[in-house]
Amino acid sequence: MRKTTFLAVLFFNGITLFAQTNDEQTIKAIYKSSLTNSKCYSWLDYLSNKIGARLSGSANAEKAVQYTKAQLETLGLDSVYLQEVMVPKWVRGEKETAYIQDKKTKINVPVCALGGSIATPKNGLTAEVIEVQSIKELETLGNKVKGKIVFFNRPMEPENIETFTSYGGCVDQRYAGAKEASKFGAVGTIVRSMNLRLDDFPHTGAQSYGDIAKSQYIPTAAISTNGAELLSKSLKGNPNLKFYLKMSCQQMDDELSYNVIGEIKGSEHPENIMVVGGHLDSWDLADGSHDDGAGVVQSMEVINIFKNLGYKPKNTIRVVLFMNEENGGRGGKKYEELSQTNKENHIFALESDSGAFSPRGFSFEADDANFNKIVSWKNLFEPYLIHSFVKGHSGSDIEPLTSKSIVKAGLKPDSQRYFDYHHALNDKFDAINKRELELGAATMASLMYLMDQNGIEIVKSKI
């Protein structure tokens, strides 16, 4: 049981009305610091508006590395350094062109190449279209798709309150659709954007050709949800219509890049490392303010809050800005590789990669003992409207971490609007609410503080 120290007590007619524990007082100070003295909004303003899109291997990604490193150096940390990582470099090229060719009519539709796609022929690709709802349906059609463009049109399910559940239910068509369609002789694929609303913004994202031969690679693009609705309706009227697609993207040689790391050494157990982080790269259509500029600056703000409060952590707290989450995950993998080489002991890792909307709680990868311990802190978060403590995925960048005893967590903001912006042209700084961003940083810092003060439960194996 945690020792309770009363710092603030209010009496009335000899009756104790309330008492605040040390934890309550510290968390209150954390939120006050974030809401009145934070730097995260101005940091994000610079990342988004002065640097912009930060696709791995790009000049802007390198600018972001240097900028965030310089900003961390101003905070008076014990160390700030770069960690080398080789990353893929994919270039979109000229703006994509696409239209529906129905008899004598040409209707332009918004599309964008999916990350890692090959280009179409120089003069574009024209072919008939066959619509499917899933990879499973594609497999039932087999060679009927030969010579055609496969149109994956399974929408995100609107009935799920947790929109990431809806995303997970259809993202396989984006990631593996081209690979699977090529096996049956398709010449290209179009994928409905991962978006719950109807609009004209195509959403990019990673796709993979897997282990098929390069000669089987086919171009693949996302189409906006409005475009998908129009194409589906047009196909019902004329199943023999054709679709034109032109893209000039290409895969280049790998580039040297970096994870950016800053840390405060632990005062009691410096050998135990607690990580807080987000990914520094973004897709190239916009500046990636929600995905994941927000997670980057919130993670930096956690350390800034601790410095502002003069908090000296028991364990080493390390902010890690991972490179290449979007199209390879190499930053997280390299961080774990070097962690193993250096025999580092990570006890906790927290990631923010779900946007800058109002925080609602956390998802945890933890055993029952640690999860139950964390859930016992819910009352400390309730004054700040943080209530969701669930088991689930923590984050892609911290997923590779494999220390013997480790708890992982992911910040869970309200997800209802996230996929309006995810990987799209409108994921820009003007979509960010300053207060929500700061509340997320404070919520992360509060959990980091509680984990640092109370440690983790180590379950001894039975002999």
Side-chain angles (χ1 to χ4, degrees), residues 102-115:
D102 189 355
K103 299 176 182 176
K104 295 183 179 180
T105 304
K106 293 181 180 179
I107 307 173
N108 292 321
V109 288
V111 300
C112 66
L114 292 175

Side-chain angles (χ1 to χ4, degrees), residues 4-232:
T4 301
T5 303
F6 293 103
L7 295 185
V9 183
L10 178 65
F11 296 97
F12 181 75
N13 288 339
I15 300 173
T16 301
L17 297 183
F18 73 85
Q20 286 192 315
T21 65
N22 189 36
D23 288 345
E24 288 172 319
Q25 285 285 85
T26 301
I27 291 173
K28 183 177 181 180
I30 285 172
Y31 275 87
K32 181 179 180 180
S33 177
S34 189
L35 292 171
T36 64
N37 194 31
S38 68
K39 296 184 177 182
C40 56
Y41 191 69
S42 61
W43 282 333
L44 185 57
D45 185 4
Y46 193 95
L47 270 180
S48 299
N49 295 319
K50 301 297 184 182
I51 295 178
R54 305 172 299 279
L55 189 60
S56 293
S58 68
N60 279 0
E62 174 61 21
K63 290 178 183 177
V65 166
Q66 298 304 324
Y67 172 70
T68 51
K69 178 177 181 287
Q71 293 306 304
L72 287 173
E73 288 172 339
T74 68
L75 301 183
L77 308 184
D78 292 316
S79 62
V80 177
Y81 56 97
L82 301 181
Q83 190 177 76
E84 291 186 356
V85 54
M86 296 300 295
V87 299
K89 182 176 182 178
W90 176 79
V91 178
R92 182 173 300 277
E94 297 177 0
K95 183 174 173 55
E96 302 88 341
T97 303
Y99 55 78
I100 300 167
Q101 187 172 333
D102 189 355
K103 299 176 182 176
K104 295 183 179 180
T105 304
K106 293 181 180 179
I107 307 173
N108 292 321
V109 288
V111 300
C112 66
L114 292 175
S117 176
I118 64 167
T120 61
K122 186 175 181 180
N123 294 323
L125 168 68
T126 304
E128 291 186 356
V129 179
I130 188 162
E131 179 179 348
V132 298
Q133 295 295 307
S134 65
I135 291 175
K136 185 175 182 180
E137 183 182 353
L138 166 71
E139 292 170 346
T140 65
L141 294 174
N143 291 330
K144 291 181 181 179
V145 307
K146 187 175 182 179
K148 297 183 178 181
I149 294 172
V150 174
F151 169 36
F152 290 96
N153 192 32
R154 183 165 81 257
M156 292 177 68
E157 296 178 351
E159 65 267 29
N160 293 315
I161 302 302
E162 175 50 77
T163 62
F164 281 90
T165 301
S166 299
Y167 178 70
C170 62
V171 73
D172 64 325
Q173 60 190 339
R174 186 195 77 196
Y175 187 75
K179 177 188 72 173
E180 298 302 324
S182 71
K183 295 177 182 178
F184 300 105
V187 294
T189 59
I190 307 164
V191 183
R192 183 189 184 99
S193 287
M194 306 291 112
N195 184 4
L196 280 158
R197 72 179 182 181
L198 294 176
D199 63 26
D200 294 318
F201 296 111
H203 293 229
T204 193
Q207 70 85 34
S208 173
Y209 294 114
D211 58 0
I212 64 174
K214 286 188 176 182
S215 60
Q216 292 181 280
Y217 288 7
I218 57 176
T220 179
I223 186 171
S224 71
T225 47
N226 275 339
E229 293 288 298
L230 177 61
L231 178 56
S232 182

Side-chain angles (χ1 to χ4, degrees), residues 261-293:
I261 301 173
E263 66 180 31
I264 303 174
K265 285 291 184 184
S267 58
E268 296 181 17
H269 301 288
E271 74 282 2
N272 292 337
I273 300 170
M274 301 173 64
V275 163
V276 58
H279 66 85
L280 194 50
D281 62 306
S282 76
W283 281 108
D284 57 323
L285 296 179
D287 54 61
S289 288
H290 276 294
D291 185 19
D292 184 32

Side-chain angles (χ1 to χ4, degrees), residues 306-325:
F306 290 158
K307 295 297 290 186
N308 285 341
L309 297 181
Y311 177 66
K312 300 185 185 304
K314 295 179 179 180
N315 305 286
T316 294
I317 294 183
R318 183 181 288 174
V319 58
V320 183
L321 312 181
F322 297 94
M323 183 57 70
N324 187 232
E325 187 273 345

